[in-house]
Amino acid sequence: MNLGTLLPRHARYRPDHLAVVFERQRLTFRQLNARVNRLANALLAAGLAKGDKLATVLPNCLEQLDVYWAAAKTGIVVVPMSPLLQEAGLVTLLDNAEARMVVSNGAFAETLDRIRGKLPAIGADRWVLTDGARPGFRGYADLVAGAPEGEPPDAGLAGDDPYNIIYSSGTTGEPKGIVHTHAVRAGYCTLFASAFRITPESVCLHAGSIVFNGAFLDLMPWAFVGCTYILHPAFDAERLIEEVERSRVTHIVMVPSQIIAVLASPAFAPARLASLEMIQSVGAPLHLEYKHRLNETLPGRFYELYGLTEGFMTVLDKHDAVRKAGSVGAPIGFYEMRILDESGKDVPPGTVGEICGRGPLMMAGYYKRPDLTAKAVVDGWLHSGDLGYVDEDGFLYLVDRKKDMIISGGVNVYPRDIEEVAVQHPAVREAAVFGVPDPRWGETPVAAVVLREPGAVGARDLMEWVNARVGAKFQRLSDVMLVDDFPRNVAGKTLKRVLQERYRKA
C-alpha cells in the first residue's frame, strides 16, 4: 500500500508511455519519475523527513503533481490548500497543519510575506516559489538543482502512514484537517479505476482544481493503471471541448457548474465529445434537467459520484444513469450504507433519514481533533450530515444537506426540490435556493438565479412561474434574486451562505 511504488513501476515497465500533458509540456513516465525524484531528494536534503507536513498554495501546475508524488515516495505529508484562501485562513490552516515548508508561486508572495512572521515553525529557507526566487523566498528550480534523479531512500512506508491532510472548509470555525493514509489513497487507485473503467489505454482530462479531494478520483486511478493524464491550468469550457476532440479524451471529472457550462457553450456538439467513455459529476447534486440532457446528447457516458472527503461514496454507473436518473447510485465495493432516523434507527426504503456508511476509504480522522472525529464516526459508521433515502433496489436518492434544510411553518422544505423546478425554466441556467427568516413562517425559501441571457426573464415573473409548478404551497418562493454568477469555492461548489448574506444585505 505504498503509493511511492507506482511511478517507478511505470517508469520501468512502460517508460515511454505518455504520462502527463500540461500546456506545452509532455512527459513520459520515465521523465516524470525522474522529475519527481529530483524533488523528493531535494526535500530530504532540505531537512524534511517522513511525517513532516509540506503545504502547497498553488493553481494547477506540474509542480503540484511533483509534490503529490514526491510526498508519496518520502513519507512527507502533503497539505494542498486552496488558492482562494485569504490571509487569516492561511495562517490558521498552516499553523493547524504544523507545516514545515510551503510551496507556492509569485501570485501569493506578498500574502505569504505578510504572514511568515506568524509561522516560526517554517524555516526561512522553506518558503518556495515555483516561478523563481525573490527576497525571502527560494526558487523551486534552485531547490531541485543538482538533486539526483535516482530513487530516494526507502522511507519504510506502510498502509497506515499518513499521505495527505485535506481541509474540509475554509477560514471560519474549527479547522477540520482530514487525514488520508497511503492505504486509503491506494483504495482510490483500485476501486475507482474499476468503477470508472479506467485502463492503461485511457486518456483522463482534468480541467478543475487539483487541490480538492474530487481531483483524486481520476488522479489516483491514472497513477495506478499508468494511462495519460492531461491537466489544464483552469477550467474553460471551449478549451475542454477542443481538448477532448483533439486528444481523444476518454474520462473526465467535472463539478455540476462545469457540466452546465459545457452544455451551454456555443462550441458544444456531441460529435466533438464522441471519444468520451465517462462524464462524471461530483461535488454537488447535478439537477435532473442537465442529467437528462447529457443522457440524451451523449448517451452511455454519465456517471455521478456522491461522497464525502471523510470517506463514504456511492456511484451511479453509466448503465444505470437513465433508469435511476434521480439517484446518486449505490455504494462502491466493500462499502455498506444505512439510512438512520434522529434516534439512530434504520428507516425503511422510501423514508428520508441521515446517510451513514462505512468502508475502506474512510479517513484516519480529523487532524489533532479526536473530539470532532468521534462526532463524525460513531461505532465505525461515518455520519454524513446529508439527508436521503433508498429505493427498493437499494439505490440512494440525495434529498439535501441537513444544514441547508428550510423549516417553514414547521414543515421541512428541501431546497433541491425547488431548484429542480427552477432550472426547467428555459431562461434559467442555474438556481440555488436557501432559507431566509420570516416573522410568520420562521423561514421561507428564496432562489438565487443565474440566467442564460441577461434580462431574459424578470425576477417576479420567474417567481410566479416556479410557484405555479412546485408540488406544495410550503415550497413556494418568497423572492427571487437574479445574479450574474454564483460565488464558488475552489472545488466549484456554490456557496449558499454567501448568497444568503448577500440577499440579507440587499
Side-chain angles (χ1 to χ4, degrees):
M1 294 298 182
N2 176 354
L3 294 173
T5 63
L6 295 176
L7 280 187
R9 177 179 179 273
H10 299 312
R12 180 176 184 183
Y13 296 114
R14 51 206 322 257
D16 299 321
H17 187 81
L18 182 62
V20 170
V21 178
F22 180 76
E23 299 289 62
R24 296 183 179 179
Q25 295 173 285
R26 299 169 68 85
L27 301 175
T28 65
F29 276 106
R30 180 194 287 117
Q31 293 168 329
L32 178 62
N33 191 54
R35 180 184 170 107
V36 168
N37 284 346
R38 284 195 295 272
L39 176 60
N41 287 314
L43 293 176
L44 296 175
L48 292 187
K50 178 181 179 180
D52 284 341
K53 316 303 187 301
L54 190 166
T56 63
V57 189
L58 287 169
N60 285 0
C61 57
L62 281 180
E63 290 82 3
Q64 182 70 63
L65 293 178
D66 292 344
V67 170
Y68 281 153
W69 298 108
K73 294 187 178 206
T74 58
I76 293 167
V77 180
V78 61
V79 188
M81 293 192 175
S82 167
L84 300 181
L85 281 167
Q86 300 298 309
E87 215 168 288
L90 275 173
V91 173
T92 298
L93 298 190
L94 288 170
D95 179 63
N96 182 261
E98 301 175 302
R100 292 294 179 265
M101 179 181 277
V102 175
V103 178
S104 188
N105 69 10
F108 303 97
E110 289 185 12
T111 297
L112 296 174
D113 204 32
R114 288 194 296 269
I115 67 174
R116 60 194 305 161
K118 301 175 183 178
L119 298 160
I122 304 174
D125 63 342
R126 292 183 178 177
W127 298 84
V128 180
L129 300 181
T130 58
D131 48 359
R134 61 178 69 188
F137 293 92
R138 193 174 183 181
Y140 187 92
D142 297 333
L143 174 68
V144 301
E149 293 185 353
E151 294 297 324
D154 185 352
L157 289 163
D160 58 357
D161 282 313
Y163 168 69
N164 66 254
I165 301 173
I166 292 200
Y167 281 89
S168 61
S169 56
T171 60
T172 59
E174 300 170 298
K176 292 164 68 175
I178 298 166
V179 180
H180 293 124
T181 63
H182 277 249
V184 165
R185 289 309 191 190
Y188 272 64
C189 290
T190 56
L191 290 175
F192 291 123
S194 172
F196 305 144
R197 301 171 177 85
I198 298 176
T199 73
E201 293 71 46
S202 297
V203 178
C204 297
L205 168 61
H206 202 94
S209 171
I210 56 170
V211 303
F212 91 107
N213 195 58
F216 291 85
L217 295 171
D218 57 1
L219 183 64
M220 288 293 150
W222 157 75
F224 177 61
V225 304
C227 60
T228 297
Y229 186 85
I230 301 173
L231 179 65
H232 281 186
F235 173 79
D236 177 86
E238 284 69 40
R239 183 175 178 182
L240 180 149
I241 292 167
E242 291 170 7
E243 186 76 72
V244 171
E245 184 177 37
R246 179 177 62 253
S247 301
R248 307 300 295 163
V249 172
T250 60
H251 291 72
I252 190 164
V253 176
M254 291 185 283
V255 297
S257 60
Q258 293 166 350
I259 291 175
I260 293 166
V262 168
L263 290 171
S265 168
F268 174 75
R272 302 188 71 183
L273 304 180
S275 63
L276 287 174
E277 299 168 15
M278 177 184 85
I279 302 168
Q280 185 199 132
S281 178
V282 68
L286 179 67
H287 292 124
L288 275 169
E289 177 77 11
Y290 297 106
K291 291 185 187 182
H292 291 324
R293 197 176 304 176
L294 269 179
N295 287 327
E296 289 166 3
T297 57
L298 291 162
R301 295 168 172 89
F302 178 70
Y303 292 75
E304 185 166 21
L305 182 139
Y306 159 74
L308 287 79
T309 304
E310 287 86 343
F312 175 69
M313 292 89 174
T314 65
V315 170
L316 179 67
D317 187 79
K318 62 182 180 180
H319 293 298
D320 297 315
V322 173
R323 74 184 186 95
K324 298 287 186 181
S327 169
V328 290
I332 60 175
F334 302 114
Y335 262 88
E336 299 171 83
M337 177 174 63
R338 300 171 71 189
I339 308 295
L340 304 180
D341 64 17
E342 293 288 345
S343 63
K345 295 180 180 178
D346 293 276
V347 300
T351 303
V352 174
E354 184 179 10
I355 303 164
C356 302
R358 65 181 179 187
L361 306 186
M362 285 173 58
M363 65 177 178
Y366 294 117
Y367 188 56
K368 300 187 299 186
R369 293 306 303 263
D371 54 332
L372 296 179
T373 304
K375 291 179 181 177
V377 182
V378 181
D379 297 328
W381 290 86
L382 176 64
H383 287 242
S384 69
D386 291 337
L387 298 172
Y389 64 91
V390 296
D391 64 15
E392 294 293 341
D393 297 324
F395 280 71
L396 177 64
Y397 291 74
L398 186 63
V399 174
D400 235 314
R401 291 285 295 170
K402 264 187 176 181
K403 65 182 181 182
D404 288 342
M405 187 174 69
I406 302 164
I407 301 178
S408 183
V411 178
N412 293 344
V413 180
Y414 302 113
R416 190 179 171 199
D417 291 341
I418 307 170
E419 292 164 0
E420 292 282 9
V421 173
V423 296
Q424 293 176 39
H425 191 286
V428 172
R429 177 169 169 171
E430 291 184 82
V433 172
F434 50 85
V436 297
D438 182 87
R440 181 178 179 187
W441 303 109
E443 286 184 299
T444 56
V446 166
V449 172
V450 179
L451 298 178
R452 297 183 187 277
E453 299 289 341
V457 66
R460 178 166 291 279
D461 289 342
L462 180 57
M463 182 178 73
E464 291 174 355
W465 188 94
V466 172
N467 288 347
R469 288 163 174 80
V470 292
K473 288 184 178 180
F474 55 76
Q475 294 176 317
R476 290 177 181 172
L477 297 170
S478 60
D479 203 359
V480 166
M481 176 174 70
L482 300 178
V483 297
D484 294 333
D485 200 1
F486 290 153
R488 308 182 199 274
N489 65 12
V490 69
K493 294 182 182 179
T494 299
L495 300 174
K496 285 191 177 182
R497 282 176 294 177
V498 175
L499 289 170
Q500 230 170 3
E501 285 302 309
R502 189 183 299 177
Y503 179 81
R504 288 172 180 170
K505 291 177 180 177

